[in-house]
């Protein structure tokens, strides 16, 4: 008997919790409109496009760009218009927007305040408290009060400020050496003698070398170092005091192979003698290097953390993983050995704030659990392990199951033929006499289920699914073991808030108490979690209900746009009341 239990993702739950705070984009006949979370139409279906602004802080800055007859406007996440649909273009970054109209540009925020009038021939984004502005063929920089910080007197290509200096080039020709740097007064402080590939200042240095040459200058314009026959990805920028360079590049068919190195701010290669760079993690102060096919790890100063003597090394967040013949070695970032094992890393167990490492033996052994410091909690003697509510469910190779606490101590011995995870302190188990029971964490029997029930699932929202031995049909019980539905269904699909049931190829919906809230007459049913909406289909027509089974007669549209993108959980192309 097929039974599916769906666990709704954290993101979907977040969408449900904040449904009142979101407007949603729907499409009808290739035109876009905006509805609130209750399905009320906020903006008619008259737009050729509605795009979501991708902001770093979605909840605080979420907004929509409307397009109609090639004009654009902007609305906030509640559907309230910030800028009317009258602009040629609107582009936003970091809660600030560049607005253009009739070939002129201005600057505003996501509250509708225009603080740079739409009068300039070009504008850049706010950067180091300055906004690049173009007047005719001249370029200058404004502050947010529309005051000139550097008057529009600059010619050529002018770039944004970085660490107090901005690159300025007379020519776009990549071969021409016409690039220099101005200060925040607009004064040329580093002469225009460098080629087009020059970079911005990062960590006090800027790359100004020609192709095949690594040359860096400081903010006084003095050359700090030059390395010939080295290539750098432009624009080259130091990160954590290091920059990656390469040489001896050779081409093989459609790809090239180069030798990679790391240079410090003096131009010194920090790698050990004869070593090449494999992977760099400068933010972790760790880098993987190799010599003659063997790998090791060094820090950003070149100090060896893991000797260069292993076949394969990876760095994963807070640990270094080494593959050495039949063993895997786990080190912390300081190079301290945490674990040497023949077991294979099979992921993590996450239970609230607690995290555990899962290991398994592919050669017929069992699963093991280690704590965050790689100390063994559960040895590899079990065929399967699962974790919920701080309790490990374990099953041995004789298919007997029981429960352990988070330290690996026995809570309930291996005495059951089938076990489910605990939910709110209780669970369902099958004893050796083929009787299903409900027990608590102390193995106290709370209820014995009737002999007709089989294949009982774990509890979810206070109910568990089961099937009848006599009929093979499915239904639900409560946490006291009482049947709360008739056992008449062919399939059941348990969601976070409702249960979809199927009988004779027709579907309906039960609430969490087992009451039928949408009748068994539909060909297909889906849950659109970001809309809190149940979408049903009958005779190729779609009907919409809330999570209590009340029909939403005013919602006839399909695609839902939330912070996780367009959601089309009904997979329907056209919707009808």
């Amino acid at each position: 008997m097929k039974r599916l239990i769906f666990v709704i993702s954290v993101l979907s739950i977040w969408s449900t919790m904040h449904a009142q705070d979101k407007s949603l984009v729907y499409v009808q006949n290739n035109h876009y409109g905006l509805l609130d979370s209750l399905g009320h139409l906020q903006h008619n279906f008259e737009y050729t496009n509605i795009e979501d602004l991708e902001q770093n802080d979605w909840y605080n800055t979420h907004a929509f760009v409307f397009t109609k007859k090639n004009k654009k406007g902007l609305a906030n996440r509640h559907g309230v218009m910030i800028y009317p649909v009258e602009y040629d273009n609107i582009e936003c970054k970091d809660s600030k927007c560049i607005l253009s109209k009739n070939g002129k540009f201005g600057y505003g925020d996501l509250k509708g305040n225009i603080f740079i009038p739409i009068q300039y021939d070009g504008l850049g984004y706010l950067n180091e408290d300055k906004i690049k502005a173009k007047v005719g063929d001249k370029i200058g920089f404004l502050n947010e009060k529309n005051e000139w910080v550097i008057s529009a007197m600059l010619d050529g290509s002018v770039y944004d400020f970085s660490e107090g200096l901005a690159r300025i080039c007379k020519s776009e020709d990549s071969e021409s050496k016409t690039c220099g740097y101005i200060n925040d007064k607009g004064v040329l402080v580093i002469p225009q003698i460098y080629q087009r590939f020059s970079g911005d200042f990062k960590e006090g240095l800027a790359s100004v070398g020609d192709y095949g040459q690594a040359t860096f200058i400081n903010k006084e314009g003095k050359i700090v170092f030059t390395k010939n026959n080295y290539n750098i990805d432009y624009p080259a920028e130091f990160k954590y005091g290091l920059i990656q360079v390469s040489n001896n590049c050779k081409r093989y068919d459609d790809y090239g192979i180069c030798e990679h190195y790391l240079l410090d701010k003096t131009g010194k290669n920090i790698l050990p003698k004869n070593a090449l760079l494999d992977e760099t993690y400068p933010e972790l102060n760790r880098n993987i290097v190799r010599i003659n096919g063997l790998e090791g790890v060094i820090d950003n100063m070149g100090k060896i953390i893991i000797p260069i003597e292993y076949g394969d090394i990876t760095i994963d967040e807070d640990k270094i993983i080494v593959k050495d013949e039949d063993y895997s070695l786990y080190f912390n970032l300081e190079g301290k050995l945490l674990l040497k094992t023949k077991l294979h890393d099979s992921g993590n167990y996450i239970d609230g704030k607690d995290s555990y490492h899962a290991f398994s033996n592919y050669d017929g052994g069992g699963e093991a659990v280690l704590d965050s410091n790689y100390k063994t909690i559960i040895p590899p003697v079990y065929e399967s392990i699962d974790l919920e509510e701080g309790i490990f469910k374990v099953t041995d190779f004789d298919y007997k199951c029981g429960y352990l606490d988070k330290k690996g101590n026995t809570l309930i011995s291996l005495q059951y033929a089938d076990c489910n995870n605990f939910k709110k302190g209780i669970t369902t188990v099958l004893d050796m006499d083929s009787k299903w029971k409900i027990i608590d964490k102390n193995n106290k029997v709370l209820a014995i289920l009737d002999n007709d029930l089989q294949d009982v699932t774990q509890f979810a929202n206070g109910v568990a699914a089961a099937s009848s031995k006599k009929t093979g049909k499915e239904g639900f019980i409560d946490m006291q073991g009482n049947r709360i539905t008739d056992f008449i269904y062919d399939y059941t699909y348990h969601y976070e808030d409702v249960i979809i049931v199927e009988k004779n190829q027709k579907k309906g919906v039960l609430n969490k108490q087992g009451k039928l809230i949408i009748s068994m007459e539909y060909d297909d049913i889906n849950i659109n979690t970001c809309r809190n909406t149940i979408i049903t289909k009958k005779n190729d027509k779609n009907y919409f209900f809330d999570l209590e089974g009340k029909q939403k007669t005013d919602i006839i549209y399909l695609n839902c746009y939330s912070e996780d993108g367009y959601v089309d959980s009904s997979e329907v192309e056209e919707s009808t009341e």
Side-chain angles (χ1 to χ4, degrees):
M1 185 62 61
K2 179 181 178 182
R3 183 183 296 115
L4 300 178
I5 297 179
F6 291 89
V7 178
I8 305 302
S9 69
V10 173
L11 188 58
S12 296
I13 294 173
W14 190 98
S15 299
T16 300
M17 291 170 59
H18 293 79
Q20 298 294 333
D21 294 317
K22 296 190 297 184
S23 296
L24 306 166
V25 178
Y26 278 76
V27 185
Q28 183 190 38
N29 298 326
N30 296 320
H31 283 77
Y32 291 72
L34 200 68
L35 285 75
D36 66 17
S37 61
L38 299 177
H40 302 138
L41 192 63
Q42 293 177 303
H43 293 276
N44 289 325
F45 287 76
E46 56 185 279
Y47 301 98
T48 54
N49 196 19
I50 299 178
E51 297 177 289
D52 178 70
L53 285 181
E54 295 182 359
Q55 298 288 339
N56 293 329
D57 187 352
W58 185 92
Y59 183 70
N60 290 322
T61 62
H62 183 68
F64 299 98
V65 176
F66 287 70
T67 303
K68 180 180 179 181
K69 296 181 179 179
N70 296 321
K71 295 295 182 181
K72 296 181 183 294
L74 191 71
N76 66 16
R77 70 176 184 272
H78 304 291
V80 178
M81 292 303 295
I82 302 172
Y83 298 108
V85 184
E86 61 184 34
Y87 297 91
D88 297 326
N89 197 28
I90 299 177
E91 295 182 0
C92 301
K93 178 183 178 183
D94 298 330
S95 300
K96 300 293 192 301
C97 300
I98 298 176
L99 312 169
S100 65
K101 183 190 295 186
N102 300 325
K104 298 295 183 180
F105 296 82
Y107 210 50
D109 60 22
L110 288 180
K111 295 182 179 180
N113 302 311
I114 297 178
F115 48 88
I116 303 294
I118 303 175
Q119 64 185 43
Y120 297 97
D121 297 309
L123 280 181
Y125 287 110
L126 181 68
N127 183 68
E128 293 194 1
D129 298 323
K130 290 178 279 293
I131 301 168
K132 184 169 59 176
K134 186 176 183 181
V135 178
D137 294 330
K138 302 293 185 179
I139 296 174
F141 287 86
L142 300 165
N143 61 21
E144 291 187 80
K145 297 180 180 180
N146 195 36
E147 300 169 337
W148 288 107
V149 178
I150 299 173
S151 60
M153 61 179 183
L154 304 173
D155 296 306
S157 298
V158 182
Y159 298 84
D160 285 331
F161 276 84
S162 179
E163 297 186 358
L165 297 175
R167 183 162 39 110
I168 179 170
C169 302
K170 293 180 182 179
S171 171
E172 294 285 345
D173 182 6
S174 61
E175 302 297 326
S176 176
K177 295 184 177 183
T178 63
C179 295
Y181 298 83
I182 60 173
N183 63 15
D184 57 7
K185 306 296 183 183
V187 177
L188 188 69
V189 293
I190 297 178
Q192 293 174 295
I193 58 174
Y194 299 108
Q195 47 81 37
R196 181 73 169 79
F197 287 132
S198 299
D200 295 325
F201 276 91
K202 297 293 182 181
E203 297 188 5
L205 299 179
S207 170
V208 295
D210 292 327
Y211 180 77
Q213 180 190 70
T215 299
F216 285 83
I217 60 173
N218 60 23
K219 292 183 179 181
E220 286 73 44
K222 296 180 180 179
I223 294 177
V224 177
F225 69 85
T226 296
K227 290 283 187 180
N228 293 318
N229 301 318
Y230 282 88
N231 297 315
I232 304 176
D233 293 331
Y234 289 92
E237 298 175 355
F238 271 89
K239 293 182 179 179
Y240 299 91
L242 298 174
I243 192 164
Q244 183 174 325
V245 298
S246 60
N247 68 3
N248 294 330
C249 295
K250 299 177 181 178
R251 188 166 186 83
Y252 297 90
D253 296 327
D254 294 330
Y255 63 94
I257 296 179
C258 300
E259 297 177 353
H260 298 277
Y261 306 89
L262 283 176
L263 305 183
D264 65 16
K265 289 186 177 181
T266 68
K268 176 186 175 182
N269 176 22
I270 69 162
L271 272 57
K273 184 178 180 180
N274 299 323
L276 300 175
L277 179 68
D278 249 15
E279 296 286 344
T280 180
Y281 304 85
E283 70 281 0
L284 298 177
N285 191 24
R286 294 296 179 263
N287 308 281
I288 301 174
V289 297
R290 57 185 167 86
I291 298 177
N292 297 326
L294 298 178
E295 296 185 348
V297 176
I298 64 172
D299 66 12
N300 289 354
M301 301 295 291
K303 178 183 176 181
I304 294 178
I305 305 299
I306 303 294
I308 308 172
E309 58 187 40
Y310 298 103
D312 182 41
I313 295 179
T314 57
I315 295 178
D316 182 13
E317 296 180 353
D318 60 346
K319 59 181 176 290
I320 300 169
I321 305 171
V322 176
K323 303 296 184 182
D324 183 35
E325 296 181 352
D326 296 332
Y327 290 91
S328 294
L329 290 78
Y330 291 78
F331 298 86
N332 64 17
L333 292 181
E334 284 67 45
K336 179 182 178 180
L337 180 64
L338 302 174
L339 175 69
K340 181 178 181 180
T341 180
K342 289 186 177 182
L343 300 177
H344 299 269
D345 191 339
S346 55
N348 293 287
Y349 294 104
I350 306 295
D351 186 39
K353 295 181 179 180
D354 297 324
S355 177
Y356 303 88
H357 302 287
F359 284 83
S360 58
N361 190 336
Y362 295 163
D363 299 326
E367 295 188 4
V369 177
L370 285 70
D371 66 15
S372 58
N373 295 316
Y374 289 89
K375 179 182 178 181
T376 299
I377 297 175
I378 302 175
V381 296
Y382 297 103
E383 192 271 338
S384 67
I385 301 175
D386 201 2
L387 174 65
E388 191 115 14
E389 292 190 354
I391 297 177
F392 288 99
K393 181 188 71 174
V394 295
T395 304
D396 69 8
F397 288 92
D398 293 324
Y399 300 105
K400 294 179 181 180
C401 57
Y403 299 90
L404 310 178
D405 66 17
K406 291 194 292 186
K407 294 183 179 180
N409 301 315
T410 299
L411 286 177
I412 300 174
S413 63
L414 300 170
Q415 58 184 276
Y416 293 110
D418 197 0
C419 301
N420 287 306
N421 286 321
F422 276 91
K423 288 290 186 178
K424 296 183 179 181
I426 70 171
T427 189
T428 54
V429 293
L430 179 66
D431 68 16
M432 294 303 175
D433 295 326
S434 299
K435 292 183 179 179
W436 279 96
K437 300 176 179 180
I438 299 175
I439 63 171
D440 64 14
K441 294 180 180 181
N442 296 316
N443 202 25
K444 179 181 178 181
V445 177
L446 304 178
I448 298 176
L449 306 185
D450 66 63
N451 290 330
D452 180 49
L453 295 183
Q454 63 182 359
D455 300 328
V456 183
T457 69
Q458 69 185 44
F459 284 101
N461 293 308
V463 299
S467 64
S468 167
K469 294 178 182 177
K470 295 178 182 178
T471 66
K473 301 297 183 180
E474 298 183 12
F476 290 87
I477 62 171
D478 63 18
M479 299 181 83
Q480 288 73 46
N482 303 311
R483 297 192 184 205
I484 61 172
T485 70
D486 293 328
F487 278 63
I488 58 175
Y489 303 109
D490 300 323
Y491 304 100
T492 58
Y493 310 86
H494 201 158
Y495 285 81
E496 180 72 19
D497 298 293
V498 295
I499 303 165
I500 297 176
V501 291
E502 183 175 347
K503 178 183 178 184
N504 299 328
Q505 297 184 335
K506 292 295 182 181
K507 294 181 179 180
V509 177
L510 309 178
N511 63 16
K512 291 185 288 186
Q513 290 73 43
K515 179 182 177 182
L516 188 68
I517 59 174
I518 297 178
S519 59
M520 303 287 300
E521 59 180 294
Y522 296 98
D523 302 316
D524 196 17
I525 299 179
N526 287 277
I527 310 297
N528 193 322
T529 55
C530 83
R531 288 278 301 146
N532 291 335
T533 298
I534 301 169
I535 306 170
T536 68
K537 177 190 281 188
K538 182 171 65 172
N539 299 328
D540 292 326
K541 292 184 179 181
N542 299 298
Y543 304 85
F544 297 80
F545 299 82
D546 64 21
L547 295 180
E548 295 179 355
K550 182 180 179 181
Q551 188 170 0
K552 296 182 175 184
T553 57
D554 55 343
I555 299 182
I556 61 173
Y557 310 109
L558 174 64
N559 288 327
C560 166
Y561 201 91
S562 68
E563 78 280 3
D564 50 344
Y566 274 106
V567 176
D568 177 6
S569 56
S570 66
E571 300 180 356
V572 183
E573 295 181 356
E574 185 177 354
S575 303
T576 308
E577 288 187 46

